[in-house]
Amino acid sequence: MERLAVVLRAQGLSVVVTREPGGTAAGDKIRHLVLDTATSGLSPLAELALMFASRAQHIKEVIQPALAEGRVVLCDRFTDSTEAYQGAGRKLGSKAVLELHRILCGDLQPELTILMDSDIAASVERARRRNRTRATDNGRVEGDENRFERENRAFFGRVRHAYLAIAAREPQRVVVVDARRTAAETHAQIVEILRQKLRLAAKTA
């Protein structure tokens, strides 16, 4: 995300980098509740509602104002992730997710979605390592964000299958990138996709 933002800013674009769940003060509180392993007994429907509560605030407070100013918004996850994790992973189905998106998000969709596809086991282990070593600015380790990473392989199999199904359903918006390559190679793929989408100058990496 940050490397991509550097590329876009070098092209003279104003870029906002954000993430979900989170992106706002209220959203960050929801993120802590939903992702921290200390959270227990949260029902799938409650989890779904919290994701959309964070997203609705995020749209109102960050995304819509940035778009209104003509800025490029780079967001780590959006409704596709809810459809994959809660719809498929938690077995709530796509219909409820898409209906909530329509009601709460006004059908706002990214112009382009990059789906970074990789081996399930490698992806989960990488996320676990990253989350365990997160630290605050003063060096104290925060509560981890491994709640989802504690799920079993079947859960992540459903999540990956859902992501790929979304890409097949909406090929005009979702582009699948092979993230099994090195970070540099993956970044180069994404830059090329953005270059074509936004008609950027050829030398952007």
Side-chain angles (χ1 to χ4, degrees), residues 19-21 31 35 47-48 51-52 55 75-90 93-94 97-98 101 109-110 113-116 148 155-156 158-160 162-164 166 169-170 173-174:
R19 68 178 183 179
E20 290 196 354
R31 181 185 182 90
L35 300 187
E47 186 178 276
L48 174 64
M51 291 296 187
F52 271 107
R55 183 165 300 127
C75 185
D76 183 3
R77 302 185 184 275
F78 200 61
T79 298
D80 291 339
S81 292
T82 305
E83 185 176 355
Y85 276 82
Q86 284 72 48
R90 301 296 190 209
S94 294
V97 175
L98 297 178
H101 178 82
Q109 285 284 18
T113 298
I114 302 294
L115 172 56
M116 298 172 66
F148 281 96
F155 175 89
F156 286 104
R158 293 194 298 273
V159 169
R160 179 174 181 269
Y163 271 129
L164 295 175
I166 293 168
R169 184 182 74 205
E170 301 184 49
R173 174 176 67 84
V174 184

Side-chain angles (χ1 to χ4, degrees), residues 2 5 24 57 61 63 70 73-74 87 91 104 110 114 121 144 153 157 196 202 204-205:
E2 292 296 342
T24 66
Q57 186 66 25
E61 194 173 324
I63 297 176
V73 178
L74 297 182
K91 301 182 181 180
L104 298 174
I114 302 294
D144 68 71
R153 188 177 181 86
Q196 294 179 20
T204 56

Side-chain angles (χ1 to χ4, degrees), residues 113-124:
T113 298
I114 302 294
L115 172 56
M116 298 172 66
D117 186 37
S118 184
D119 175 74
I120 293 172
S123 296
V124 172

Side-chain angles (χ1 to χ4, degrees), residues 22-162:
T24 66
D28 285 341
K29 291 178 182 178
I30 293 173
R31 181 185 182 90
H32 177 76
L33 174 64
V34 171
L35 300 187
D36 199 298
T37 54
T39 299
S40 61
L42 192 63
S43 80
L45 286 172
E47 186 178 276
L48 174 64
L50 286 167
M51 291 296 187
F52 271 107
S54 175
R55 183 165 300 127
Q57 186 66 25
H58 192 212
I59 290 171
K60 180 180 184 296
E61 194 173 324
V62 177
I63 297 176
Q64 285 181 331
L67 294 176
E69 294 171 357
R71 306 179 75 183
V72 174
V73 178
L74 297 182
C75 185
D76 183 3
R77 302 185 184 275
F78 200 61
T79 298
D80 291 339
S81 292
T82 305
E83 185 176 355
Y85 276 82
Q86 284 72 48
R90 301 296 190 209
K91 301 182 181 180
L92 294 177
S94 294
K95 184 177 179 180
V97 175
L98 297 178
E99 182 64 9
L100 281 171
H101 178 82
R102 183 188 68 80
I103 294 169
L104 298 174
C105 307
D107 283 329
L108 177 68
Q109 285 284 18
E111 191 174 348
L112 172 68
T113 298
I114 302 294
L115 172 56
M116 298 172 66
D117 186 37
S118 184
D119 175 74
I120 293 172
S123 296
V124 172
E125 182 53 36
R126 184 166 59 245
R128 285 173 177 163
R129 288 198 305 269
R130 180 184 67 245
N131 293 338
R132 288 188 192 119
T133 57
R134 270 191 330 120
T136 60
D137 291 338
N138 62 12
R140 288 183 294 107
V141 176
E142 294 179 330
D144 68 71
E145 294 189 349
N146 279 291
R147 181 169 166 269
F148 281 96
E149 280 70 26
R150 287 186 170 186
E151 295 293 338
N152 59 31
R153 188 177 181 86
F155 175 89
F156 286 104
R158 293 194 298 273
V159 169
R160 179 174 181 269
H161 183 268

